Amino acid sequence: MAYKILIVDDEKMLTELLSSHLQKCGYETLVAENAEQTISMLNVYPDLILLDINMPEIDGLELCKMIRQNVVCPILFLTARITEQDKINGLQVGGDDYITKPFSLKELTARVAAHLRRDERSKCTPKIVSSQGLIVNLAERTIFYGEKPLNLSNREFDIVEFLMRNANQIFDRERIYEAVWGMNAEGDSGVIKEHIRKIRNKLKEATGREYIETVWGMGYRWKK
């Protein structure tokens, strides 16, 4: 069965181009031009969403928050914005990656395929791991403390999984970025700091404990 990709952009020429190209690559595509159409299409459970930030009425960042209430698939922002703060804003609302306009179809296809592979690997992992009361189901990508679920974005979950699997080891921001985003990812490892802050807040709120330790001048580690 072909992967379903939802393209959200109000530029009709761009959506037609992307839809045609991705269909030729073997994907099934759906197109939405605004927030209302996007939300109505989530019931088909897309495997990946390409989301333009500069949308009419409700921008892509606000729309991403709404999407995250319904689905957990990878969300890749399409944007001309490129500052570090823009990237942080996108990650904070649940985005997984940025593709900067103008972009090549080859780059777009490679990033889409990479995120789908990573998402598929995560779904196929049967292992359940635990740490200090946290129960992490790597196959279902869920985290519970007792019976209480923790709501983490895809990137936040990936970071938690990486640190838990390597508990007590120290990793700097660059190493964590490479492990989660990939060796060839084009981006700034500075976003790791914001992700770690959000993860810590969610874990502390749910459990009252500190799981991730900052080793000054060296990086972060998961405490056993």
Side-chain angles (χ1 to χ4, degrees), residues 37-56:
Q37 291 180 9
T38 302
I39 298 302
S40 69
M41 290 183 180
L42 295 181
N43 60 2
V44 303
Y45 295 104
D47 297 295
L48 182 142
I49 298 173
L50 298 174
L51 175 59
D52 180 41
I53 285 187
N54 297 315
M55 296 288 292

Side-chain angles (χ1 to χ4, degrees), residues 13 38 49 52 108 119 130 183 223:
M13 289 183 62
T38 302
I49 298 173
D52 180 41
L108 173 79
D119 200 49
S130 63
M183 291 289 293
K223 296 188 293 185

Side-chain angles (χ1 to χ4, degrees), residues 172-187:
D172 60 21
R173 291 186 301 185
E174 287 74 18
R175 179 66 184 88
I176 297 172
Y177 188 85
E178 288 177 359
V180 174
W181 271 260
M183 291 289 293
N184 298 320
E186 294 182 6

Side-chain angles (χ1 to χ4, degrees), residues 146-165:
E147 297 183 356
K148 183 177 182 180
L150 279 71
N151 184 25
L152 301 186
S153 71
N154 279 343
R155 289 302 191 197
E156 290 166 0
F157 186 94
D158 290 339
I159 291 170
V160 168
E161 177 183 352
F162 173 71
L163 292 176
M164 281 187 70
R165 285 180 177 274

